[in-house]
Amino acid sequence: MVTKKWRKMVALLTAVTVITASVINVTNYVSAAPADSAETVDTAGGADAAATDNANTTDDKKEEGKEEDTQQVGEDGQVVMDGAVGKVDKSKWITIKNYELMAESDTYKLYFYEPRFSIMLENKQTGKIIESTLSDEKDDGDSNAGWNGRMKSGLDISVIKGIQNTLQADVNSTENTMETTKIDNGFSTKIYFTPYQFGFTVNVTIEGSDLVVTIPDNSIIEEQEGTYISSISVFPFLGYSALDDEEGYMLIPDGNGALINLDNKEGRYVTGFSQMIYGSDPGFVESDTKTYLWEELDMLQDASQVIAPVFGMAHTKDQKGYFAIVEKGEKRASIEAQPNGAMVNYNRCYAKFLIRDLFIQPLNNSNTGTMPRAEEDRTHSDLQVRYMLLSGDDVNYSAMATKYREYLLKNNLLTKKDSSYNTRVDFLGTERENFLLGTRAVTMTTTDDIKDIFGELKNNGVESLLSVYKGWQDGGLYDLPMSKYDADSHIGGNSDLEKLIKDSESSGYKMYLYNDALRLNPSTNTFNFNTIKKINKRAFEEKVWADVYKRFNYLTPESSVEDFTSFVESMNKKELNKVAVAGISDTLFSYSYKSSYFTRNDTADAYTKVLADLDEKADMVLESPNAYLWKSADAFLDMPLGSSDYMYVDEEIPFLSMVLKGTMPMYSNYINFEANKQEFFLQMVEAGVYPSFYLTAENSSKLISTNSADLYSTEYTTYKEAVIDYDKQLRELNAKLGDANIIKHEIKDEGIKVITYSNGVKVYVNYTNSQQIVDGVTVEAMSYSYKAGEAE
Amino acid sequence: MRRKKKILKLMALLLVAMSIIASGMNSVTASAETPYLTYTVDGYGRMEETQTGYLAQDTIIKFGKEFLNGANDMCVTDDGKIYIADTGNARILVGTTDGKLVTTFGTGILKRPMGVFVTEEKHVFVADQNAGAVFEFDESGKVLNTYSKPDSPLYGEGIEFKPLKVIVNKAGMMFIVCESNTNGIVEISPAEGGTFLGYFGTNYASVSLQQIIYRAILTDEQRAKMVSNIPSTPDNLAIDSKGLIYTVTRGDEANTVKKLNIAGANMLRAENYGVYDEAPAAVAVGNHDNIYVASREGYIYEYNDQGEPLYVFGAKDDGTQRVGLSSSLTSIQVGADDSIYVLDSDKNQIQVYRPSEFTQKLHTALNLYAQGKYTESREPLSEVLKMNSMFDYANKAMGRAYYQESNYDEAIRYARLSNDKSGYSDAYWEIRNEWLKANIVKALLFIVGLWILYMVLRTLDRKKKIFDGVRKGKAKIKENRFISNFMYSGYFMRHPIDGSYGIAREGRASWSAPSVILVIFMIEYVINKYLCGFLQKTVREGRYDIGSDIGIIVVVIIALTACNYLICTINEGEGTIKKIYTYFCYSLLPYVVLTPINFVLSHVLTNNEQFLVTLVNVIIYAWVLILAILAIKEVNNYTAKETAKIIFLTIFTILIVALLIFIIYVLWAQVFDFISAVFGEVVYRLGY
């Protein structure tokens, strides 16, 4: 052991001397020489120069990077690129006659054309065909050779070469070899790109009306040092349409759900929807180029996170389409939905699997010297997308929601929970503000306060309640992490809290203790070093614009699991078991820790396992849980009710709510902070979501010097009436709905929504400013109404 | 806030900041409905997040089939029409707020229309930069008048006429912002085909101390090379129904927004807490005399009629293409229903923002409050505060409303919340008055009682010596060296020259006694800073930074003592370190003795009597200064002239030492950075 350590020391020292020299070089030649050696390149500018150099010398047949494509919007909103190739002569068209029938199920025939790695799916009943690549017939000839090749290829791959990741590979413009064999229900193609010396196997099968495309992890080979696959998109043009040729929409999992219509966008949008499933990766985030007002205020709200790995395409008039679920590899994949005008004139949506990425390695603390690097290893996971092909009356998002719910239940990714109605009333216990050399408690709601409030609500007819107690732990809301049941004395201490929880439980008020199992507060836990580092081995810090605690770290999943387990066990000792889980419910990251790298898959696995293991021991409600945690959640807290307001989105729909309604109770974001309360209320009615309030016994102005200064309106007395009123209205409505599922959601005219439940109840929501009559039901302005179902 | 920002920037530069600028809010309250956040400012100038004030609603991309091309200005009329100066297409486009095309005109006449204004008679005035004229069209697009460069000699001969923006008041006077005309807004009357009336609302060039110093020491040639100090011209302007003119001027800092009366004087007096934009593009007046400013960068500000900030919202598009984010704003207008229209010349679109329920309530309250209907305004104000109890503008208005109703306890509570010092003072005066009325007799009786007690005790003591024991004890304690030294400081304070002699020659210098005084000084300083009366308070309630307060005092005392000693020793001074430390600490005694008085006063005085506190402060500082100077002179045995020299040298030495420490710090920071770079590289290469 000793000698080993000694050797390490020597190695370190030698390295230090060697590298000192090179660092001095680097700092000296920052401006003079862009590239010192192939590897030590300093500053972003230098890297770019080197990158272009590489591009010019290595591959002469390479297509241009995206930046070089220039385009113009022509008449009828058609986008025409410079160097457009023109239309394909009719005699040279590749049509279904050139395709080979590879497999068939009861409903579909699967055809394959190897040179383009293209498939066609023929519906046996209707004869309608879904294409996977741009056909020569529909090719408008407006794009350049590079894009043309990509659009007609069933595979679109981005390549990392050295420190450059703008290269593109597809089967038409990149030399490759393919080897196709038939397998059960489909075929398997082994593909190898010769210039880059990498390849993989794609298995395509048809199971009933499901098309399943898989790339097994062990089939991916990369044989050239420094040349890697960055991302793979399989069948990016599946179900595409040109401009406004087809009526219909694309479904994107933005917020609760959103639709992009397949109409002519007239070249207005240069890019479309492109979001990582389960959010962006903090392990890769750099101190970004965000702009701040007065260099301090962040005015931008982040776009909402993709919670479920799904997307869909519906040609409503032609009655064909699909609903796709990214089944494997989704933890490091993005959903892409590009409307026409985004580079080319076709609407398309697909999943893009990220295999390996570049990251920025800073060489010093001032971040003046950096160099891009590729990840050491790729992400290991099978990649699989399941396309549920739709036809007939099923070509709409209501059917997609139903199919997804059935899929989740069948595969045990979701189990039916008690989804009876509760109003959610959360409380903030204590916070901290700076005082003298340390901090002092700002107590907002004690256990006694809560007891009084519960009593008052009970007397006013609020039968049942779900309540999350935040800031109950010793040290206040941001004393994180917590590894045992330890209530702050300012709220009444352990025994009072225990008594409160047990007493209220017996009267139908369920109290959950809030636990952010992800974050560590370095100011309160100075000697805990189980925190993650980014991929570039720099500590990850979440910076917060606040007075008291300005930064938080993320615990390693291992440490989160340990703390959380011991927390639940110590609760069990007091015969308590209700926990509201935050942090680990909606965050995924790659990280490095003690010289090892971990991927998002590792993180997700750790979280999934601990929640599954503790399922018996604790009742857990999760704060906006990602799809892989749904089976462990007794309730979905903070369900988004809108979308991110992308300009290209034409309609917001409550897609996730339609999937989950009736199987898992969903609670909204806090109503306190909504500027338009009535509209928000109607959105809850529309989505079948239960209301949430965040309350304190004291006036929220007491929080002004704490980290929770953004809680500007929480006083109980202000919201008492609203809680009782909302509870009355929504309890009555939901009593009628029971645990029925939503089977249909329709948008009638502008601002009128009709939601049909499986028990026949119909709910009418009117967002307009005038009274409306729908189906003979009168709905007041900015109000809702419902009609009990006819017997089934 | 802006000035503070600058100081911070400087400090950051000086210290070679290694940290990365903080990123992002971690906010639990955020609703994902809008892509931008809304902030308001509190009474301490701190930005606080609030409910969404305006929701991005419709986006008008085209009117009929007509698209915009780099449009620079628009005018929304009460009948729902939008007149757009479609700069790129060199025409005026008239559409409706729901995106229908009404007409276009001006093609062929206009060259580069930059500004447009529509009068009540529906006459359309267009400022054309390249044509060098303001055109007046009628509703159908017929040219009625053309106003080109005024030939009046008052206009200035060498100055070009390149109109950018134009507004017209009810009398028909045109107010024109011209490119590179620094004289101000050009005012032209329509009489006789355009009569130049003069320049309006001229901005003044400000001269900084730095510039004054430069001018004094630079040669003429160097001075000629300096950027000439010309006043900034307004970037845009607007007019309200009363004929008041609003301008925005970039670089004018706190005076970025001005509300000018007919004489050209700025009527905005209220504190705006540094909430102003650095690149304002346009200004508009709302239906409640509220002022809206659009920033080129995509931010939108709303102020009340006094210029107090209500909201900042909106943001620059980060490439995600979300509704409500902007690229380059050029114009802002307010519709009859309080909707805001902003023109984006880069995205070629008009974005409509609709006020939220919260804003509607705020506007109602604003209206009533501005009219002086305080009591009526309380209802909507409390609605606003229900939705956001930290909305300081509402807190302040609420306090004033309660004051009007003679509910002073509530008034004081709200004034304190919103840091409204004059409101607090007024309400406190009333409360104190009531207290005095009720208790004045009791208080007088109490004082008389005390006096009688004192007299009785004194008489008893004289006759029966009842306090002999106490006196003896006192004398005994005085024998203690420490106590004696400590008491000596009192003597020093009253007789600085004799006192100094004691320190110099009679062994009165010590470490313990002065240190105790220093500690008491620190304690009093901290207590006075954080717990004094609200009106005297310079720091925010609930904010404490005691560590650095004490640190500063310690550093100053050490620097004074050390540098003074260094200088004295080489100038034949007789002071030792101990003596010097002693006299500096003893000199603080007036502060120690008098601050408690100040502290008590600060709790019972209103703004009207604040001069008392100021007076005590002046006495304290003068006394401390005199003690220190006399002590330096006497202890070191200097003449007056020598003393002055020594004081100057001491200050100079302190500066030099500070500079030295700073340089060493910077050098070390470099070394440290280098070492950490090497280490980082090693970690990276070896993968530890």
Side-chain angles (χ1 to χ4, degrees), chain B residues 612-641:
Chain B
L612 271 177
V613 177
T614 320
L615 179 71
V616 176
N617 271 334
V618 168
I619 293 173
I620 291 176
Y621 293 125
W623 201 338
V624 168
L625 212 63
I626 289 169
L627 286 183
I629 292 170
L630 284 178
I632 292 173
K633 179 172 178 294
E634 295 303 321
V635 172
N636 292 301
N637 204 5
Y638 286 140
T639 63
K641 207 171 155 192

Side-chain angles (χ1 to χ4, degrees), chain A residues 285-292, chain B residues 20-24:
Chain A
V285 175
E286 288 311 314
S287 53
D288 45 24
T289 50
K290 262 188 147 174
T291 48
Y292 296 90
Chain B
I20 311 150
I21 301 164
S23 82

Side-chain angles (χ1 to χ4, degrees), chain B residues 391-445:
Chain B
F391 202 85
D392 256 10
Y393 174 75
N395 274 326
K396 186 172 165 184
M398 196 75 171
R400 297 292 174 96
Y402 272 119
Y403 179 77
Q404 295 295 326
E405 292 174 21
S406 310
N407 187 344
Y408 304 116
D409 289 328
E410 283 297 299
I412 246 183
R413 193 169 78 85
Y414 282 103
R416 227 180 149 112
L417 267 178
S418 55
N419 194 27
D420 176 11
K421 292 215 156 130
S422 74
Y424 179 94
S425 171
D426 291 347
Y428 182 73
W429 193 90
E430 298 287 350
I431 288 182
R432 194 183 61 183
N433 198 25
E434 274 171 31
W435 187 89
L436 284 176
K437 268 187 212 158
N439 296 298
I440 189 81
V441 180
K442 277 183 227 163
L444 284 177
L445 283 178

Side-chain angles (χ1 to χ4, degrees), chain A residues 19 373 436 645 700 712-713, chain B residues 323 386 389-390 546 681 684:
Chain A
I19 291 157
R373 292 273 301 183
L436 301 183
D645 266 345
S700 46
Y712 43 75
S713 175
Chain B
V323 181
K386 261 188 192 176
S389 55
M390 298 193 197
I546 293 169
E681 180 90 10
Y684 162 67

